[in-house]
Amino acid sequence: MICVVSGGSRPGGDGALEELDQLEENDLTEFYRQYLTVAVFVGAALVMVGAMLGIGALLRPTRPQPEKYITYESGSDPFGQFGQQNVRYYLYALLFVIFDVETVFLFPWAIDADHVSQGGLGWLGFIEIAIFTLILIVGLAYLWRKGLLKWA
Amino acid sequence: MTSGALRKGPLKPVGELLNYSRKYSLWMFQWGLACCAIEMGAALAGPRYDVMRLGVIPFPASPRQADLIVISGTVTDKMAPAIKRLYEQMPDPKYVISMGSCANCGGPYWDSYSVTKGVDQIIPVDVYVPGCPPRPEAFIQGIVLLQERIQNEDPADRWAGKHWEPIVVPASA
């Protein structure tokens, strides 16, 4: 538990303050003790992985041969360089962001849109969401121009 | 690791355990090149033979995970470089089973212009399984004989890339 200083009366005097310090210290210890479990897990994981890799390194054969380091190409010689491949589905990803992710932001905003008097979002929220939507509309216009909105 | 260190002295149990583990976890890289592959498939997956009960796992995703390569079928000169390359890409220690007459020596295509007369011309073979095609029992006997050899070999020698006289499965199998 995170140390919580009780809101009760705090009688003056050094004795009471010391008592309070003691309480905080105990709570902190308890807090860290819970994290000790995590530390034990991390330690056990490190020891186990280290032991397995270490024993493997001692026992396994090491015969470096140039062919073993060639890219696996089902027996053919690999050719060319690795490069960025043509991403074909980014347009659909863009559509998804516009029509799906947008609603994730639009709905929470819409619920709280007009509660100005109760500390709602008000005009500021409206302007912000308008800017957000405008950015997405630019994307939509781009897709429209690309002809993605046509059924073909 | 020096030769013989795992065969005698205090490390002998380690060597035994190592050999025992390797023997029953042979990941097998399949080369079904011709009709022998049907017999191999029966030995691998058929409920009657079921080579997996011997610890042979015939589905490594790439040669880099394989311990054993089985050439079953006709090796052509066009295919030979690929076989050689993929054998080379397997990690040591690695074993080769040549299954069927074609892989052993060219078989009925001994006079062909395009057939490699035996896969042992390109990679070192550990077990020859004769037959045209061999029955699944013969293939399984090849596996068992190979496992015997693995159990009795010195890992350090195998680590160093030493090869032994090949095993030939008796034709009566």
Side-chain angles (χ1 to χ4, degrees), chain A residues 3-152:
Chain A
C3 60
V4 178
V5 180
S6 66
S9 61
R10 277 175 68 173
D14 291 344
L17 271 178
E18 266 172 28
E19 201 173 288
L20 193 67
D21 285 346
Q22 190 67 39
L23 186 71
E24 281 183 17
E25 205 167 273
N26 284 344
D27 281 354
L28 270 181
T29 317
E30 179 58 30
F31 176 64
Y32 284 122
R33 189 168 294 134
Q34 287 178 0
Y35 268 96
L36 197 63
T37 320
V38 178
V40 167
F41 264 101
V42 169
L46 286 177
V47 167
M48 268 184 72
V49 171
M52 284 193 281
L53 290 181
I55 293 172
L58 281 177
L59 291 177
R60 72 164 165 255
T62 309
R63 298 187 70 207
Q65 291 161 332
E67 292 86 4
K68 285 180 183 167
Y69 298 94
I70 299 174
T71 308
Y72 172 56
E73 280 286 0
S74 302
S76 322
D77 284 326
F79 60 91
Q81 294 291 313
F82 172 79
Q84 181 70 49
Q85 297 300 308
N86 188 8
V87 183
R88 289 170 190 279
Y89 292 102
Y90 80 99
L91 289 173
Y92 299 97
L94 207 55
L95 263 182
F96 178 77
V97 168
I98 290 171
F99 287 109
D100 199 288
V101 180
E102 183 182 23
T103 51
V104 172
F105 292 100
L106 272 183
F107 271 105
W109 165 77
I111 285 169
D112 213 18
D114 60 345
H115 295 171
V116 189
S117 54
Q118 292 132 37
L121 296 167
W123 280 108
L124 185 67
F126 177 77
I127 290 166
E128 278 182 0
I129 207 75
I131 291 170
F132 174 65
T133 315
L134 205 68
I135 291 170
L136 290 179
I137 284 175
V138 172
L140 186 63
Y142 172 76
L143 290 179
W144 198 348
R145 211 177 139 215
K146 280 264 175 184
L148 207 76
L149 299 183
K150 274 190 212 131
W151 293 101

